[in-house]
């Protein structure tokens, strides 16, 4: 999502080069600002839910297990699920639905639609998933642990990462925020593929066929321009139920429906259908679905011995090192390599330590990491809880490390942020986006002329008052 920066008019010895993490286009900046605003609020709620789950599980473990293990739903439809499963399979489908819309928008209308602009965040995200997986496999190969959890440290939780930004109060420039958001979008895509390919149980082809038919009907209704939530919501629930019974993780239904929405605007539209629905559903996802998933998944009993086990067992140590070391090294290395072997230069206003700080922040792999941890070790509840503890510990370490790195540069970020937000002519558009518009400079000239006239008047009044004071008594 980091668009090439506008030309500054200076000669460039490298010819037709692009700026890495340059200024976003104005529409992209506004979209990112709106999206991240909702995600930041949701991230704070997610943080509160995770802390609540930990306190509840460690002070009243019996009631916590009783509540999240309570079953409800029609058994005749194969949906007699525990509350924990409803949260993981049902509520997270809403989260992945929003992720699908976001990905579709980026592919057809955002900066990912430009292969040159998309290359950097895609390469960085792929490296940021491959290196943590390799770190996990290496640790468990050497330590004799299970390699089944290789995918656990590959995910980035954008909501939690933004909650950390909100807490430490960093005025991160929009280009860095957009880079983080794009990393998470690509992460979500590949996490979905990982879940679909590696964590699919025995297939029920009848249910899968029904889900495919339902998706085809969903697509056809969209293409025919049929409107009304009362049509799509029941259909979506049917598709979700069939997908769940097919053996493929039910969240795949969410992302599939999200990818089907049209995210390009027509001449008479202020917002595309995808953008409109995302605007409506994102608060539900960030403010309710994800926090409730965290409430019923993050509750693990934490003790001194349990924390020690996180750093002594190869499976849990692999998760921690994958999130803290693998994510930072993978994303930073991928970004550097992409810039090194293409005609791209880092934005003059930033430095490579800024990229490393954001890469460290991407090590917060909460929501999807917890989900993959549950799927990877379904047959071993004890190890599942230990993996969850490792995800929490790794995410905490990544949050603290990135927070320190970002705080060191916070004064610089504040100056860049203020420059991006300055609107001296009060027209609602930041001045940095109007430097090539004659009407902007004419407005500013009028403003300065008015100020100059006022200062001349005040100077004359001051001179007259002084002359009066110097006259004869």
């Amino acid at each position: 999502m980091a668009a090439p920066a506008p030309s500054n008019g200076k000669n460039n010895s490298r010819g037709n080069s692009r700026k890495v993490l340059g200024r976003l286009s104005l529409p992209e900046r506004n979209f990112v600002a709106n999206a991240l605003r909702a995600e930041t609020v949701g991230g704070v709620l997610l943080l509160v839910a995770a802390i609540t789950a930990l306190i509840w599980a460690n002070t009243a473990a019996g009631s916590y297990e009783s509540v999240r293990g309570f079953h409800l739903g029609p058994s005749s439809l194969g949906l007699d699920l525990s509350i924990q499963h409803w949260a993981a399979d049902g509520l997270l489908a809403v989260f992945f639905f929003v992720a699908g819309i976001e990905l579709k928008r980026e592919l057809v209308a955002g900066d990912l639609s430009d292969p040159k602009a998309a290359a950097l965040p895609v390469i960085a995200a792929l490296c940021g998933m491959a290196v943590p997986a390799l770190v996990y496999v290496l640790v468990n190969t050497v330590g004799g642990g299970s390699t089944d959890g290789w995918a656990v440290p590959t995910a980035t939780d954008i909501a939690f990462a933004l909650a950390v930004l909100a807490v430490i109060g960093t005025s991160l420039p929009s280009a860095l925020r957009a880079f983080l958001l794009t990393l998470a979008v690509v992460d979500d895509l590949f996490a979905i593929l990982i879940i679909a390919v590696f964590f699919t149980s025995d297939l029920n082809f009848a249910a899968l066929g029904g889900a495919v038919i339902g998706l085809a009907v969903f697509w056809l209704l969209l293409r025919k321009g049929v409107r009304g939530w009362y049509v799509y919501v029941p259909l979506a629930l049917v598709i979700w139920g069939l997908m769940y019974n097919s053996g493929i993780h039910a969240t795949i239904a969410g992302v599939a429906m999200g990818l089907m929405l049209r995210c390009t605007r027509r001449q008479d539209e202020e917002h595309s259908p995808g953008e409109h629905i995302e605007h409506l559903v994102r608060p539900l996802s960030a403010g309710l679905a994800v926090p409730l998933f965290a409430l019923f998944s993050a509750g693990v009993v934490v003790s001194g011995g349990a924390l020690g086990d996180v750093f002594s067992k190869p499976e849990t140590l692999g998760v921690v090192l994958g999130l803290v070391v693998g994510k930072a090294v993978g994303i930073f290395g991928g970004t550097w390599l992409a810039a090194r072997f293409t005609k791209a230069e880092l934005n003059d206003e930033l430095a490579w330590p800024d990229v490393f700080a954001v890469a460290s922040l991407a090590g917060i792999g909460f929501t999807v990491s917890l989900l993959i941890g549950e799927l990877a070790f379904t047959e071993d509840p004890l190890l599942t809880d230990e993996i969850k503890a490792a995800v929490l510990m790794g995410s905490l370490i990544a949050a603290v490390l990135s927070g320190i790195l970002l705080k060191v540069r916070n004064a610089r970020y504040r100056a860049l942020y203020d420059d991006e937000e300055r609107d001296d002519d009060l027209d609602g558009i930041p001045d940095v986006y109007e430097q090539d518009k004659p009407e902007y400079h004419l407005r500013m000239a009028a403003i300065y002329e008015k100020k100059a006239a006022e200062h001349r008047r005040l100077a004359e009044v001051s001179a007259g008052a002084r002359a009066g004071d110097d006259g004869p008594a």
Side-chain angles (χ1 to χ4, degrees), residues 261-280:
L261 292 175
R262 177 169 60 83
C263 293
T264 52
R265 300 178 189 178
R266 293 173 179 167
Q267 289 186 344
D268 58 340
E269 292 179 336
E270 184 178 354
H271 302 287
S272 68
E275 290 172 322
H276 176 67
I277 293 174
E278 181 186 17
H279 179 73
L280 294 176

Side-chain angles (χ1 to χ4, degrees), residues 253-321:
V255 73
M257 287 183 280
L259 287 170
M260 289 181 181
L261 292 175
R262 177 169 60 83
C263 293
T264 52
R265 300 178 189 178
R266 293 173 179 167
Q267 289 186 344
D268 58 340
E269 292 179 336
E270 184 178 354
H271 302 287
S272 68
E275 290 172 322
H276 176 67
I277 293 174
E278 181 186 17
H279 179 73
L280 294 176
V281 179
R282 185 184 287 276
L284 175 64
S285 169
L288 181 66
V290 175
L292 281 178
F293 167 77
L295 179 63
F296 294 114
S297 292
V300 293
V301 178
V302 179
S303 63
L307 292 178
D309 288 342
V310 167
F311 298 98
S312 60
K313 289 190 174 183
E315 294 89 352
T316 51
L317 180 61
V319 169
V320 172
L321 292 179

